[in-house]
Amino acid sequence: MPYIPKDPISKSHLYLDLLSSRQEALSSNLANMDTPNYVRKDIEFSQYLNSGDSLLETKLSQKLGPSGVIAARQEQLSPVDELVLMQQNSILYSVAARKMSSVITEMKSAINVGQG
């Protein structure tokens, strides 16, 4: 099992990094769609999400797969399928970024209340 940080900032940072890496892999797949002998890549990282801390993380882990590594994929997807995966990944990135923003806002509020 990989190391999963417990503090919300580090956890959100990890998710953003993983989603960013996945977007790079998916865009590389799309760019190399017609390259002979190109092996499709993907990032699967449900282990990082399935820490039991939240229902959203558990649902994401069920959708994203078993590990946090770049996995070679034998199947070839159509350009439309790759674009759909990229769009889904982009939505997950937006959710993770909002989560990070929410955590930072909560911390600012706690600091302001402590100063008052």
Side-chain angles (χ1 to χ4, degrees):
M1 179 79 141
Y3 169 72
I4 301 170
K6 290 296 181 189
D7 66 285
I9 295 265
S10 296
K11 201 177 213 183
S12 295
H13 186 263
L14 173 66
Y15 298 162
L16 289 169
D17 284 348
L18 289 168
L19 288 163
S20 177
S21 295
R22 184 166 193 237
Q23 195 74 358
E24 287 177 26
L26 293 172
S27 64
S28 178
N29 293 340
L30 193 58
N32 290 292
M33 187 80 48
D34 295 326
T35 303
N37 300 322
Y38 178 77
V39 178
R40 187 177 172 276
K41 298 177 181 82
D42 199 353
I43 305 269
E44 299 174 355
F45 48 90
S46 68
Q47 281 181 194
Y48 290 98
L49 296 173
N50 200 8
S51 60
D53 290 351
S54 85
L55 184 58
L56 175 62
E57 290 174 11
T58 302
K59 285 183 179 182
L60 285 174
S61 70
Q62 292 166 353
K63 291 212 177 260
L64 293 176
S67 67
V69 298
I70 294 180
R73 299 291 187 176
Q74 295 304 321
E75 79 272 7
Q76 284 298 101
L77 296 181
S78 73
V80 172
D81 291 333
E82 288 289 351
L83 288 170
V84 167
L85 289 175
M86 288 179 73
Q87 186 63 34
Q88 288 172 340
N89 196 68
S90 177
I91 291 168
L92 292 175
Y93 190 91
S94 293
V95 169
R98 280 191 224 136
K99 175 70 175 169
M100 174 72 92
S101 178
S102 172
V103 168
I104 291 170
T105 300
E106 288 174 17
M107 291 175 71
K108 283 181 181 178
S109 295
I111 290 169
N112 288 336
V113 167
Q115 291 177 352

